[in-house]
Amino acid sequence: INVPRILIQTEQATKWAPFIECHKSPNCIILEFSDYNMKRTPTDDMSDSYVLLPVMTQTPSRLSMGEPKIAKIIQYRSIDMVFFGLITKRRTFLTKAADAYREAHPNRTVHIDHNNQPISLAAAYAEAKVCLILHSYRSTSGGEYHRLSEFAPFGCVPVVENFADTIGIPIYERCGGVIFTNLTQMMAAAEDVIAKIDQGLYNNCSKAVTNWWKAGIQWEKILPAVFGVEEVSLF
């Protein structure tokens, strides 16, 4: 078996076989984004092969080129809610909830779709008031940070199913404006945020939150500080 030097863990649903092989090798480490995933390792000593870094928080993201220089005032955006991702059986909850929302609010717009086209994603996020995240397969899951890092710089309010991770959650709430909730309360939480946005209650804080996300993770400063080496440019 060809074992890599670095194995990057990118999934919420983990297939353990390649990670076990990496652990057996003295020359392989696992770069893990989720402390919840790391706690689920099948053997007690396997965490010795892990390095925990938020590799799924992408800076810059693939949508960075589509981010507006000045985000549209959130109160005047045309889309109430968006979610883009694979519509698994569990996520059909969102499609049904969106249909009910449109029926109750016929003049409102909601996008729930499996769309992976960067141009259309960026256009929708720039007009969205609320951006949703719902886990693919189970409620107890590592965070979907790749979605957060894609849409949050556009200025929508993230309404997110609870992450099983523990590291950084208060920071995402306080600095990133994330509203964490469970599946059954997700639409109620989103509707509550939309009502506050329509009243102008998010206008004052929206810019600061958006700028926090746009600043991203400064890897060239963080990594030298963590590992105690001289700061170098990565570009």
Side-chain angles (χ1 to χ4, degrees), residues 25-136:
S25 170
N27 299 315
C28 181
I29 63 168
I30 301 163
L31 196 59
E32 173 62 68
F33 75 94
S34 165
D35 64 283
Y36 169 70
N37 282 346
M38 194 169 72
K39 292 171 185 174
R40 293 173 57 238
T41 55
T43 62
D44 291 339
D45 66 334
M46 197 168 161
S47 60
D48 294 341
S49 297
Y50 278 73
V51 173
L52 189 62
L53 281 174
V55 293
M56 293 289 279
T57 306
Q58 299 159 4
T59 307
S61 85
R62 61 176 177 152
L63 304 185
S64 296
M65 296 299 292
E67 293 172 14
K69 291 184 179 179
I70 300 177
K72 186 174 182 178
I73 296 174
I74 195 167
Q75 185 179 6
Y76 304 120
R77 297 186 179 196
S78 61
I79 303 172
D80 278 12
M81 299 178 234
V82 298
F83 171 83
F84 295 116
L86 179 66
I87 305 300
T88 61
K89 182 178 180 180
R90 191 170 189 272
R91 285 175 173 162
T92 58
F93 167 85
L94 286 179
T95 59
K96 295 175 182 177
D99 288 341
Y101 185 83
R102 293 187 194 97
E103 185 174 347
H105 307 278
N107 296 322
R108 300 278 190 157
T109 301
V110 179
H111 290 325
I112 309 294
D113 193 13
H114 184 198
N115 185 335
N116 202 32
Q117 301 300 316
I119 293 175
S120 57
L121 292 179
Y125 289 148
E127 281 290 336
K129 296 177 180 177
V130 167
C131 294
L132 303 170
I133 293 178
L134 184 67
H135 297 312
S136 304

Side-chain angles (χ1 to χ4, degrees), residues 13 19 22 31 46 78 81 86 93 143 145 178 184 186 231:
F19 298 94
C22 179
L31 196 59
M46 197 168 161
S78 61
M81 299 178 234
L86 179 66
F93 167 85
Y145 304 100
V178 178
T184 58
M186 177 164 286
E231 182 176 327

